[in-house]
Amino acid sequence: MTRQILVLAACSLLCICMLPSQVWAADSDKPHKKMTLREKADAGREASKKTEQEQLEKAREAAQGMSEREQEILERQQYGEWEQAQKEKSQQQFNDRLSREEKYLKQAQETAKQERKIEKKD
């Protein structure tokens, strides 16, 4: 049994030695030491600041979007008021034209009566 363990260990050692050096280089780039409490606290603060900045940016974007939507609504309301004013103006012009037509019709009728009277006098 010990012989089997020795053979297995030797085979494992050979396999490990044959691994490409790039794998070892990649592993050496990663720090394997434990973080101290101070380092953990600093990392937590940085993560918190980053999260806070992201949330602030999202809030700014949302506020700007809301401001733009409010402006669009105000413009539509102002356009509606302008449209209503134009309708009222055109209705007033129509009423004025109608009253002028009635006035001209009345004058024409009176003129026609006067002409008849003149014809009767001749």
Side-chain angles (χ1 to χ4, degrees), residues 2-115:
T2 56
R3 187 176 195 152
Q4 290 174 347
I5 294 174
L6 287 174
V7 171
L8 187 58
C11 288
S12 299
L13 185 59
L14 281 173
C15 290
I16 291 173
C17 290
M18 291 184 180
L19 286 174
S21 62
Q22 294 174 353
V23 172
W24 291 106
D27 285 343
S28 66
D29 292 343
K30 297 179 183 176
H32 291 290
K33 77 173 198 177
K34 283 188 169 182
M35 293 177 68
T36 64
L37 287 177
R38 177 170 287 180
E39 291 171 339
K40 287 181 182 179
D42 291 342
R45 278 189 220 102
E46 288 178 20
S48 176
K49 286 180 183 179
K50 182 179 177 183
T51 303
E52 185 178 358
Q53 289 299 322
E54 289 173 354
Q55 290 175 345
L56 285 172
E57 185 62 32
K58 287 180 183 178
R60 283 186 195 116
E61 290 173 1
Q64 185 174 359
M66 183 180 290
S67 175
E68 290 172 357
R69 286 190 297 275
E70 288 175 352
Q71 185 64 31
E72 289 175 10
I73 290 170
L74 285 174
E75 287 175 3
R76 274 190 253 140
Q77 286 177 345
Q78 289 173 351
Y79 178 75
E81 292 172 1
W82 176 84
E83 188 175 4
Q84 182 64 30
Q86 293 300 313
K87 285 181 181 180
E88 291 172 1
K89 184 178 175 182
S90 65
Q91 183 65 42
Q92 182 63 39
Q93 289 173 345
F94 176 78
N95 292 341
D96 292 344
R97 191 176 310 121
L98 188 61
S99 65
R100 276 195 308 267
E101 288 176 3
E102 289 174 358
K103 177 181 159 187
Y104 295 147
L105 181 60
K106 193 173 188 178
Q107 286 177 351
Q109 288 173 346
E110 289 176 3
T111 305
K113 286 180 186 177
Q114 289 176 356
E115 289 177 4

